Amino acid sequence: MTKSSGTILDGEGRPAGRGAGTAPRTYASSVDSITLEVLRTRLAAIAEEGALTIERTACNPVIAESRDCSCTLLDARAQLLMGGGAVAHHFGVCDHAVQATVAAHAGTLAPGDVFIANDPHNGGGLHYQDVVVQRPVFVDGEIIAWAVNSGHMMDMGGMAFGSWAPAATECYQEALRLPPVRLFRAGMEQQDVWAILRNNIRVSSLVEMDIRSLVAGSQVAHDKLLQLALAMGAQRFLQAVRALQERTEEEMRRRISLLEDGEYALTTYTEWLDELYRVPCRLTVDGDRMHFDFAGAAPQCPHFFNSKAHIIRAIVVSDITDVLAHDLPLSAGLFAPITLHCPEGTVVNSRPPAPTASAHFDVALNASMAAQQCVMMAIAASGPRAPGAHLLSGPVAPSCMGLHTWSFQTPAGTPDGWLMLDGAMAGGSAGYDRDGYDLFSFMVARKAIIEAVDVELFESRYPALVVEKRPRPGVPGAGRYRAGAGSQMAYRPYGVRELAGVMLGMREWLPLPGFAGGLPGANTEFAIRRADGRREPVSGHASGVRVREDEVFEFRLGSGGGLGDPIDREVSLVARDVCQRRLTREEAAGVYGVLLDSAGDVDAEQTRLRRVQVLAARLKTAAPAARPLTDIAPLSANAIGGLPLYCGVEQHGAFAYASVSGAPLARAPDHWTDGCPTLEEVRGGRLLIRHYLDPLTGKFLFVEALPRGEPRTIDIRPKRWTAPPS
């Protein structure tokens, strides 16, 4: 793949070019393990202290209460050492920001310099509002580290309050775009840059204080890093941080090597009203390396969710290492064995003037979800000893978010507003042995977590009155283990005549799929309850939304999918969900086949009969398999237990079988679903839910959600399947 056809990023965020295979250990053997562990914990403490300084100094509740900020430590080469704060996705873009700063200001860097950037096309981070403040750390005239902070600013100018403008068609309309420039030169404030900021930002006093909180956090991290380097000796410090990165890389490569070599692919789609933008991902596992290829991604478009290669890389690596290496420090060592191909001129690697205000949301989160599911398929094909096997789950669910911003006029006639971070509280996918988390869209809490603002604080700070706030009930995301619930919330203007809003919703009609027979999750919904009693739906990418003082705005967030066939769910858990009003009795009977008596207890015999009837009805109404293996006998019970291909599917020689029934499904290298009868359900005229059944039992082996007319979304090809033993 040539660079002109796209961008292949290596583990250091630069175009790949070094040889394949394990990097030589040049430092790890020269530093003892106790020194490295002490260094690791001190770096972690420094990063957290820098992030806490930001939180304690900022005025914006998005930072001060919800913790949408970070402090990232980089080495002298601008490679990741450690991150602190709630937003781990920030950590992986900071090296890109510093590399751009060094390229623009090489030869003029000096102690006391502080730089700012926010343009994803030119040295910025995740998007315009997540400004990046960078401070080099010098010892004896040489840079030995960088302290880099980022936080979400309430506004950075542009055509809409909050700088999210769904109507923008090019980057020039969206925000004040800053390349790497100095805020401080040798410790002296650059008043001209501060003046430009104040002149272009609506709530300039608030944003100025929040930027100063980033500067303060960088000062704390700078001073602590300097003290650490001086205590160790600068050269010893440099040697030790490199050793720490190498040890992490070595362990990451070891874990990757435990996965089955081969290719694993998933295609997803990003919505914009009636438009769809394809985001395919193909993972190649090759020894101790992983490569994610987004070839075939849709061309860049005139919508604000175009992304950049460095953003895709940061989010993908952060999310997949939650699965493979959640117990390791998120440093450059985790990035080193992973490469990405993001074709230039597409939604995953756009060129100016593509708008990028949501460069880290719709497309990027879909790309990361697809990458994470490819890793899950690789884990499933590798068996219980694979790294992350205990975290096997459906898709990460941040792409179900429904953030939105509101603006209003203060009594003084000045603009003000807020970002509704409760809109980030989607429901998590189910795991292999557990239900998904409510109001939490990731699988593990290695990261610190962005928090919703307390209702009391929210109502005291903003002109709104909360009417309802709860986990969303309903059956979407059903499975042997079900998905968690997203946030359901309603509120109205209070003390102002109206609020003006911008919607940032995702997955309005195309839900996240389940895993191993689990059903797809819920979609995100926005609506206004008008004064006359009408419930008026609102588009997830609408701008100029008006809610008057006698009206109520509500949102219901989506969720990830379930895991396993719902018909296998423990009946007591279904009864509990009905008791807690997560489900109705009708939903329990219709989806889970569980019948309750008048006291709410399970009718065991009727439930058993109902489940038998459900499975029989599935097989009776299903379409025949595309390629049934009528000439191959099912496995006997004592023969079941071959090599895994997918959860519930196993390989014996050149054939795939259903693990429970022993039913033959496919002959290598055909797709194992070719031997599955299918049930198809069309929703809303354009959404297709396709169920692949075990041909003997009728149980779901895989359920996918896709646009009508599109091909199968997954491909699972470990090398032993594409070239099976004779």
Side-chain angles (χ1 to χ4, degrees):
M1 194 71 65
T2 63
K3 189 178 176 185
S4 61
S5 67
T7 299
I8 299 179
L9 297 180
D10 68 6
E12 297 182 346
R14 302 185 178 95
R18 71 183 184 188
T22 305
R25 294 180 64 184
T26 57
Y27 293 91
S29 59
S30 64
V31 184
D32 65 273
S33 297
I34 293 177
T35 297
L36 286 184
E37 180 62 11
V38 172
L39 175 64
R40 183 190 67 80
T41 57
R42 292 193 68 176
L43 290 172
I46 291 170
E48 285 302 325
E49 191 167 350
L52 285 171
T53 302
I54 300 169
E55 294 172 27
R56 292 167 178 166
T57 312
C59 295
N60 176 10
V62 170
I63 297 177
E65 299 295 331
S66 295
R67 310 176 64 225
D68 191 350
C69 64
S70 65
C71 175
T72 303
L73 310 181
L74 307 178
D75 67 13
R77 304 168 300 136
Q79 298 306 298
L80 179 62
L81 286 178
M82 192 69 64
V87 188
H89 290 169
H90 283 168
F91 305 158
V93 296
C94 289
D95 57 355
H96 168 82
V98 171
Q99 289 159 17
T101 298
V102 172
H105 299 280
T108 67
L109 300 174
D113 283 351
V114 178
F115 294 87
I116 185 173
N118 79 324
D119 180 13
H121 287 305
N122 189 1
L126 293 178
H127 67 141
Y128 305 115
Q129 298 94 312
D130 283 359
V131 302
V132 182
V133 168
Q134 310 154 50
R135 186 189 294 264
V137 182
F138 282 82
V139 172
D140 296 330
E142 297 292 331
I143 294 176
I144 56 104
W146 288 79
V148 185
N149 291 348
S150 187
H152 184 94
M153 301 297 113
M154 197 63 256
D155 184 76
M156 285 301 291
M159 65 188 292
F161 182 93
S163 306
W164 262 307
T169 58
E170 56 183 15
C171 58
Y172 307 108
Q173 300 168 309
E174 295 185 295
L176 172 65
R177 299 164 57 232
L178 297 171
V181 295
R182 283 181 175 86
L183 278 176
F184 292 76
R185 182 186 296 272
M188 299 296 294
E189 286 197 16
Q190 300 301 287
Q191 290 298 332
D192 49 354
V193 175
W194 287 101
I196 291 171
L197 286 165
R198 297 186 193 102
N199 196 54
N200 283 276
I201 294 172
R202 292 172 178 85
V203 282
S204 58
S205 58
L206 173 67
V207 172
E208 179 177 347
M209 190 61 209
D210 290 342
I211 293 175
R212 291 186 182 278
S213 76
L214 300 181
V215 174
S218 74
Q219 181 71 62
V220 169
H222 168 279
D223 292 350
K224 297 289 184 177
L225 279 171
L226 181 59
Q227 292 171 14
L228 176 59
L230 292 176
M232 294 182 67
Q235 290 306 310
R236 182 67 169 164
F237 172 81
L238 293 171
Q239 187 179 48
V241 297
R242 289 290 295 276
L244 185 62
Q245 292 166 332
E246 287 181 3
R247 289 277 184 94
T248 306
E249 177 181 348
E250 184 178 67
E251 175 59 14
M252 183 64 178
R253 288 185 181 275
R254 186 191 70 81
R255 296 184 186 190
I256 293 173
S257 70
L258 298 176
L259 299 176
E260 280 289 331
D261 284 357
E263 294 187 355
Y264 308 87
L266 183 141
T267 297
T268 186
Y269 306 84
T270 295
E271 307 168 32
W272 184 279
L273 302 178
D274 292 330
E275 302 171 19
L276 281 177
Y277 294 86
R278 186 186 299 267
V279 184
C281 178
R282 181 169 293 274
L283 163 64
T284 299
V285 179
D286 182 10
D288 62 358
R289 296 168 295 152
M290 304 174 77
H291 179 69
F292 294 92
D293 192 347
F294 293 95
Q300 66 185 65
C301 63
H303 304 313
F304 68 171
F305 51 48
N306 294 287
S307 195
K308 302 289 292 185
H310 70 274
I311 296 172
I312 301 293
R313 164 183 164 267
I315 297 177
V316 164
V317 175
S318 174
D319 289 350
I320 67 168
T321 53
D322 272 356
V323 182
L324 297 176
H326 62 92
D327 56 336
L328 299 178
L330 187 55
S331 74
L334 298 189
F335 284 73
I338 300 170
T339 57
L340 289 82
H341 173 230
C342 298
E344 293 179 6
T346 68
V347 291
V348 296
N349 191 13
S350 60
R351 305 185 187 98
T356 56
S358 271
H360 62 318
F361 276 178
D362 310 60
V363 166
L365 292 177
N366 261 343
S368 183
M369 181 277 293
Q372 177 258 2
Q373 279 296 278
C374 289
V375 172
M376 289 297 183
M377 288 186 280
I379 292 172
S382 304
R385 294 186 179 181
H390 64 296
L391 293 172
L392 201 64
S393 79
V396 288
S399 64
C400 293
M401 290 194 302
L403 293 172
H404 43 290
T405 66
W406 295 107
S407 60
F408 58 92
Q409 293 291 317
T410 68
T414 58
D416 202 351
W418 76 92
L419 169 63
M420 196 67 195
L421 267 176
D422 289 80
M425 308 301 159
S429 285
Y432 84 108
D433 63 349
R434 62 200 180 282
D435 291 341
Y437 297 112
D438 293 339
L439 315 181
F440 181 70
S441 54
F442 290 98
M443 296 164 294
V444 297
R446 172 175 91 161
K447 306 176 178 76
I449 304 167
I450 292 180
E451 299 172 356
V453 176
D454 291 339
V455 168
E456 292 80 4
L457 180 65
F458 168 71
E459 291 180 333
S460 67
R461 176 65 176 81
Y462 300 118
L465 186 67
V466 175
V467 176
E468 177 191 35
K469 184 175 182 179
R470 60 168 295 185
R472 179 182 182 177
V475 78
R480 180 178 184 180
Y481 296 102
R482 57 154 175 77
S487 177
Q488 178 170 310
M489 190 172 180
Y491 52 94
R492 64 179 180 85
Y494 185 78
V496 293
R497 298 189 63 178
E498 71 172 14
L499 297 172
V502 172
M503 305 295 107
L504 307 168
M506 293 168 267
R507 296 202 172 274
E508 295 183 83
W509 66 270
L510 184 62
L512 281 170
F515 198 81
L519 299 187
N523 294 119
T524 293
E525 302 174 13
F526 294 125
I528 299 172
R529 302 177 197 167
R530 297 297 186 188
D532 59 7
R534 292 178 296 118
R535 184 179 184 271
E536 183 178 300
V538 176
S539 166
H541 291 114
S543 55
V545 177
R546 303 284 174 172
V547 180
R548 295 184 291 272
E549 57 186 338
D550 57 352
E551 298 172 334
V552 174
F553 178 82
E554 65 177 37
F555 65 89
R556 301 172 184 175
L557 297 186
S559 69
L563 191 144
D565 193 322
I567 215 72
D568 289 329
R569 184 164 176 80
E570 173 62 45
V571 294
S572 63
L573 298 180
V574 178
R576 181 200 65 185
D577 286 348
V578 172
C579 179
Q580 295 177 349
R581 299 184 180 179
R582 301 181 71 107
L583 293 174
T584 65
R585 288 171 175 263
E586 293 74 21
E587 290 169 336
V591 176
Y592 291 103
V594 174
L595 300 178
L596 306 177
D597 61 23
S598 58
D601 296 324
V602 175
D603 187 323
E605 179 59 21
Q606 290 300 313
T607 293
R608 185 188 67 79
L609 292 174
R610 178 61 173 265
R611 288 183 161 183
V612 170
Q613 293 168 356
V614 167
L615 294 174
R618 288 178 185 173
L619 288 174
K620 183 177 181 180
T621 57
R627 295 183 180 181
L629 291 182
T630 56
D631 58 331
I632 304 298
L635 289 175
S636 62
N638 60 5
I640 292 174
L643 298 171
L645 269 180
Y646 184 68
C647 291
V649 180
E650 59 190 55
Q651 179 183 354
H652 292 258
F655 294 93
Y657 296 85
S659 298
V660 172
S661 70
L665 299 176
R667 179 183 285 107
D670 293 344
H671 200 292
W672 63 262
T673 61
D674 287 348
C676 297
T678 57
L679 286 173
E680 293 189 349
E681 174 190 354
V682 177
R683 299 180 186 174
R686 55 181 174 174
L687 172 64
L688 177 65
I689 308 296
R690 183 183 290 133
H691 311 71
Y692 297 88
L693 310 183
D694 181 323
L696 292 182
T697 67
K699 290 187 177 181
F700 297 148
L701 295 177
F702 174 61
V703 183
E704 62 184 343
L706 67 163
R708 288 185 71 184
E710 292 293 316
R712 182 172 45 207
T713 57
I714 65 168
D715 195 15
I716 303 170
R717 296 187 176 276
K719 281 188 175 180
R720 59 173 160 78
W721 178 248
T722 55
S726 57

